[in-house]
Amino acid sequence: MRLFPILAASVLAATALAGCEKQTRAPFESGVCLHVIEQPDGTLKFNPVERNVPSMELCAASLEGMRIRFMRLGSPTRELTGAYQGKFIFVEKEGIYLGDTYEGARFMSLVRTGDGRLAVPGAIRQAQ
C-alpha cells in the first residue's frame, strides 16, 4: 500500500518536468512555406520560400527542391527544416518528417524510394 503514493509522486514529478521542456512552435501563416534556420544562439529564423501554397505536401516538395539546388551548388548540408501553417517539416535522408514542435517527436510523412524520389509510406511495394 505504501508503494502507490511513491509511484503517484513519481508520475506527477515526471509530468511536471515534461511540461518544462522547451517546445518551439512554428508560426501559423496561411499558405506560406517557410525555411527554418537555427541561429548560433539557438533561436530559429523563419524565411518565406513561397506564398499561396495550397498544401503541406507542396511545401515539402518546394523544400526538397531547395535542398537539391543547395547540394548542386556544393553545400555540405543534406538536411533542412521548414514550416507550414504551424507544423515543422524536416527534410532528411530517409524522407520527410512532420512535427508539432521543433524539439518534439517527428512523424514520417513521405519516404524515399530506391531512386531518391519521395512517396507515401507503403505506396511502393517491394519485389518478392
Side-chain angles (χ1 to χ4, degrees):
M1 290 301 261
R2 291 182 181 240
L3 186 58
F4 180 73
I6 294 171
L7 283 173
S10 297
V11 169
L12 183 62
T15 304
L17 287 175
C20 295
E21 286 183 30
K22 181 180 175 186
Q23 295 195 353
T24 308
R25 301 224 176 251
F28 188 95
E29 292 184 51
S30 185
V32 179
C33 183
L34 303 164
H35 176 222
V36 180
I37 302 170
E38 188 170 348
Q39 301 296 305
D41 65 357
T43 60
L44 300 178
K45 182 177 180 182
F46 297 90
N47 297 317
V49 174
E50 266 187 75
R51 298 189 185 280
N52 301 318
V53 178
S55 71
M56 187 173 304
E57 290 80 9
L58 288 174
C59 178
S62 293
L63 293 168
E64 171 68 4
M66 188 170 130
R67 184 188 75 84
I68 291 169
R69 287 188 298 278
F70 282 170
M71 287 182 0
R72 286 182 182 157
L73 291 171
S75 172
T77 304
R78 299 286 186 245
E79 301 173 348
L80 62 84
T81 304
Y84 181 78
Q85 294 187 178
K87 296 269 189 199
F88 281 100
I89 302 170
F90 302 94
V91 181
E92 299 183 2
K93 181 175 77 171
E94 301 83 16
I96 307 286
Y97 294 83
L98 304 177
D100 291 331
T101 63
Y102 187 72
E103 301 82 9
R106 299 174 183 184
F107 302 96
M108 175 71 66
S109 175
L110 298 169
V111 296
R112 292 204 189 278
T113 61
D115 60 359
R117 291 180 294 161
L118 293 167
V120 176
I124 306 293
R125 291 184 18 187
Q126 294 181 342
Q128 296 180 6

